Amino acid sequence: VQLQASGGGFVQSGGSLRLFCAASGSILSRNTMAWFRQAPGNQREMVAAVTSGGSTNYADFVKGRFIASRDNARNTMYLQMDALEPEDTAVYYCAWRQGWALSSTSYAYWGQGTQVTVSS
């Protein structure tokens, strides 16, 4: 499975961005895709996960601000990010794994990352 993340950029505090993750290759129908992020000096952390069945899981720090969704026909995952804060500045990665596992942080396939920068 290959993953291509895009949509990052520079935005002022309170602004919005939408990230995209396109998956290709041998994609099993029952799977989970997720967004992770890593800021300089910090460990990578999960932001949101969404199964091919449509269930979602969010980190507490993004609840009410970010929405993860998928278009299974296009094998694409989205992350709508609203009310962005400087603390959201990080490289955002998308990931894919077989099966439904919303709470797992173990993913077999990763995209290259897209930079999100939020100014104060």
Side-chain angles (χ1 to χ4, degrees):
V1 176
Q2 294 81 45
L3 302 172
Q4 180 71 40
S6 61
F10 183 92
V11 65
Q12 291 188 331
S13 181
S16 299
L17 283 174
R18 194 180 196 202
L19 303 185
F20 304 82
C21 178
S24 60
S26 300
I27 299 171
L28 299 176
S29 59
R30 191 178 176 97
N31 62 77
T32 303
M33 296 181 74
W35 291 100
F36 288 77
R37 71 184 187 184
Q38 187 168 20
N42 290 358
Q43 291 187 336
R44 185 173 60 196
E45 56 188 359
M46 193 177 81
V47 175
V50 54
T51 69
S52 51
S55 297
T56 56
N57 185 32
Y58 294 95
D60 287 343
F61 54 79
V62 302
K63 285 182 179 178
R65 300 190 298 126
F66 293 7
I67 297 176
S69 60
R70 295 180 54 157
D71 182 340
N72 290 329
R74 297 175 183 269
N75 291 320
T76 301
M77 176 177 62
Y78 310 94
L79 185 67
Q80 178 66 40
M81 305 187 294
D82 297 323
L84 282 162
E85 304 166 351
E87 293 74 22
D88 296 316
T89 295
V91 178
Y92 284 70
Y93 299 89
C94 60
W96 185 98
R97 61 165 292 154
Q98 180 180 344
W100 291 354
L102 284 173
S103 298
S104 174
T105 57
S106 176
Y107 283 76
Y109 300 94
W110 294 82
Q112 85 288 1
T114 184
Q115 176 71 46
V116 171
T117 303
V118 185
S119 67
S120 58

